[in-house]
């Protein structure tokens, strides 16, 4: 049991509150995505999302939690290569995981959700700028 200020922390009571807050944040982000769609402040193509994530330009990223997109990213050129299956010779990574990690490293929000909860599966993003 975790104690804080000499009171026991009740995970069973806290988790529903945290979950509701997370869901509200996700719904607000989805609404913002659709309001900004077509303005140049959203992305839904992986070859644009990956470099934007690496550059810290993503505010919110939505990814299909069951999808994988294998390939490579060259940060020097911004080039993204997507393959149908991973190859160890080329050093392929899951580009969705890479985009999520980079977004988190740059203090963006990541929503790993079911495909039908992603505005444009397998990934969509709201840009900071």
């Amino acid at each position: 049991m975790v104690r804080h200020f000499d009171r026991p922390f009740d995970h069973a009571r806290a988790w529903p509150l945290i979950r509701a807050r997370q869901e509200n944040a996700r719904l607000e982000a989805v609404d913002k995505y659709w309001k900004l769609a077509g303005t140049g402040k959203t992305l839904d193509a992986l070859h644009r999302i990956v470099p934007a994530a690496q550059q810290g330009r993503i505010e919110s990223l939505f990814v299909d939690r069951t999808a994988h997109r294998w390939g490579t990213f060259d940060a020097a050129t911004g080039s993204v290569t997507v393959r149908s299956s991973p190859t160890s010779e080329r050093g392929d990574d899951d580009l969705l995981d890479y985009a999520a990690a980079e977004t988190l490293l740059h203090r963006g929000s990541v929503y790993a959700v079911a495909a039908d909860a992603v505005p444009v599966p397998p990934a969509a993003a709201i840009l900071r700028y």
Side-chain angles (χ1 to χ4, degrees):
M1 177 183 337
V2 175
R3 298 184 70 78
H4 183 70
F5 298 105
D6 294 325
R7 290 190 317 232
F9 185 78
D10 187 346
H11 289 274
R13 286 183 35 207
W15 184 244
L17 299 173
I18 293 167
R19 187 78 164 152
R21 184 177 226 179
Q22 289 176 330
E23 182 63 8
N24 286 340
R26 185 189 68 80
L27 292 172
E28 287 176 12
V30 168
D31 187 49
K32 184 174 183 178
Y33 177 90
W34 290 117
K35 285 179 181 173
L36 293 173
T39 67
K41 295 201 176 197
T42 62
L43 300 173
D44 60 19
L46 196 56
H47 71 279
R48 295 195 191 280
I49 290 172
V50 171
Q54 189 267 335
Q55 295 162 0
R57 295 179 51 218
I58 295 182
E59 175 183 305
S60 298
L61 177 66
F62 307 91
V63 293
D64 175 352
R65 67 178 169 232
T66 62
H68 300 282
R69 295 297 183 272
W70 300 101
T72 56
F73 170 60
D74 183 340
T77 64
S79 173
V80 176
T81 303
V82 181
R83 295 184 231 302
S84 58
S85 61
T87 60
S88 58
E89 304 86 51
R90 293 191 178 115
D92 288 348
D93 290 312
D94 186 333
L95 296 171
L96 296 174
D97 285 352
Y98 178 83
E102 286 293 323
T103 298
L104 291 171
L105 285 171
H106 291 94
R107 298 182 182 206
S109 298
V110 175
Y111 302 100
V113 294
D116 62 356
V118 177
V120 181
I126 299 170
L127 298 174
R128 289 187 168 111
Y129 56 91

